Amino acid sequence: RLVILDESSSSNCNDGGSLEENNDDLSLFIELMSPISSAQPDQMSASSLAYLGDVVFELFIRSRYVWPQRRMPVLQNTVVGLVNAEAQSKLLQQFVDNFTLTSAEQAVLARGRNASLTARKKGKGGESMYQDSTAFEALLGYTYINDKVRFTEMISWMKLELDKMDGLML
């Protein structure tokens, strides 16, 4: 289905558009921002899931910190500080300690940890940190494709954790 949007066809909750129009817009947005409907995450490599998970997590983080306005170097340092392997590994550990995972999600984490990636480094934190980071990204990629409601639950939990972290930094 090809959909072309122009200014006259867009609406949002603040311009008086109806709830039905806004839900249609949201549904269209979700459709446009999702992999093709034939995508089967159970048959995708852990690296491919992590590739997608990396993107959606970084978009979440960038969207979260872009406002209030910051100087670009400060914004970049904030984002990089949260989307790196060390931060993702720590967030994954908190996540699995506080969030009940299904057996399928646990299997995705295992696949992500065992993925063969050339980008892993043997610096601070070692290979285990990079395995955790890849597992974290693979899980996000998997749920993003497979279950938008579950993905939203996970991102919402992460938002609350980041809110706590941000409160400590103030």
Side-chain angles (χ1 to χ4, degrees):
R1 166 178 127 182
L2 177 64
V3 177
I4 300 174
L5 298 177
D6 61 26
E7 289 180 27
S8 66
S9 66
S10 66
S11 66
N12 67 41
C13 293
N14 296 326
D15 71 2
S18 73
L19 182 58
E20 185 176 311
E21 287 173 332
N22 291 319
N23 284 337
D24 289 346
D25 288 347
L26 181 58
S27 294
L28 178 60
F29 175 78
I30 291 169
E31 180 183 335
L32 292 171
M33 295 301 293
S34 297
I36 61 172
S37 60
S38 62
Q40 297 179 11
D42 291 318
Q43 296 180 10
M44 294 172 70
S45 71
S47 299
S48 293
L49 293 172
Y51 181 78
L52 183 59
D54 174 63
V55 169
V56 295
F57 185 68
E58 185 155 348
L59 179 60
F60 165 68
I61 295 297
R62 285 181 181 223
S63 296
R64 176 184 171 84
Y65 291 102
V66 74
W67 189 261
Q69 266 189 314
R70 294 169 169 82
R71 292 182 48 221
M72 195 51 59
V74 173
L75 176 61
Q76 181 66 12
N77 288 339
T78 301
V79 170
V80 168
L82 292 167
V83 299
N84 66 49
E86 182 179 6
Q88 288 179 344
S89 177
K90 288 177 183 177
L91 191 56
L92 175 66
Q93 295 309 314
Q94 292 174 312
F95 184 74
V96 296
D97 289 344
N98 295 286
F99 203 90
T100 304
L101 296 174
T102 67
S103 59
E105 292 164 350
Q106 291 172 357
V108 170
L109 283 178
R111 287 173 51 207
R113 278 195 185 93
N114 294 328
S116 176
L117 298 176
T118 58
R120 292 190 179 139
K121 300 175 186 169
K122 296 202 183 339
K124 182 181 174 187
E127 188 164 335
S128 176
M129 179 179 65
Y130 288 91
Q131 289 172 316
D132 285 350
S133 176
T134 303
F136 174 79
E137 292 172 343
L139 178 62
L140 290 179
Y142 175 83
T143 55
Y144 179 77
I145 295 170
N146 200 47
D147 186 346
K148 295 287 191 286
V149 172
R150 183 69 167 164
F151 175 80
T152 302
E153 290 172 358
M154 291 178 175
I155 290 293
S156 295
W157 181 90
M158 290 175 205
K159 179 194 177 305
L160 292 174
E161 290 303 304
L162 292 172
D163 288 348
K164 291 177 196 174
M165 287 172 43
D166 292 345
L168 294 174
M169 288 187 228
L170 297 176

